[in-house]
Amino acid sequence: MNDLIRPSLYDAYHEIVPVIAGEHEDRETVDIVGPVCESGDFFARGRDMARVKEGDLLAILDTGAYGMSLASNYNTRPRPAEVLVDGKRARLIRRRESLDDLLALERV
């Protein structure tokens, strides 16, 4: 809901893959959900993908400019970092927000 709302709004498709490729040969059909406990907080439904285990990292690809431009602080959640991947190079282009960042503008 706050990180990438496009799948929830209009069922947009974004490829989702394990960060460490090659270790995941088994496949399964899964729902990939976000951190907010709401029925609309999902990244993918009924997606066939490599089987992963708790603690594995997933990458949501091809979000384009929509990732940060549509992100929000819904439920007082900091927005995610932005990483630009160019071939085998990755660069942090915007750091993850902290709770201090969210509260910095408060005056009460």
Side-chain angles (χ1 to χ4, degrees):
M1 298 279 300
N2 65 300
D3 297 331
L4 181 62
I5 198 165
R6 294 181 75 235
S8 182
L9 283 179
Y10 45 86
D11 204 26
Y13 181 95
H14 296 280
E15 186 176 0
I16 302 174
V17 298
V19 169
I20 300 176
E23 294 183 2
H24 312 279
E25 295 180 19
D26 295 334
R27 300 190 70 78
E28 62 184 333
T29 301
V30 299
D31 292 340
I32 302 170
V33 300
V36 179
C37 188
E38 299 217 14
S39 60
D41 189 26
F42 65 89
F43 297 112
R45 289 188 173 155
R47 182 77 57 93
D48 176 63
M49 67 174 292
R51 183 180 299 269
V52 295
K53 63 184 184 313
E54 185 175 339
D56 287 352
L57 296 176
L58 299 176
I60 302 175
L61 308 180
D62 60 21
T63 60
Y66 296 108
M68 187 54 73
S69 65
L70 293 176
S72 73
N73 297 117
Y74 176 74
N75 243 8
T76 316
R77 297 194 54 85
R79 288 179 291 182
E82 285 184 279
V83 178
L84 174 66
V85 178
D86 183 13
K88 293 186 177 189
R89 264 184 61 198
R91 292 187 314 168
L92 181 67
I93 57 175
R94 183 180 178 127
R95 70 171 171 77
R96 179 180 306 276
E97 286 180 333
S98 69
L99 188 54
D100 287 340
D101 292 329
L102 294 182
L103 300 177
L105 299 176
E106 299 293 328
R107 293 293 172 234
V108 176

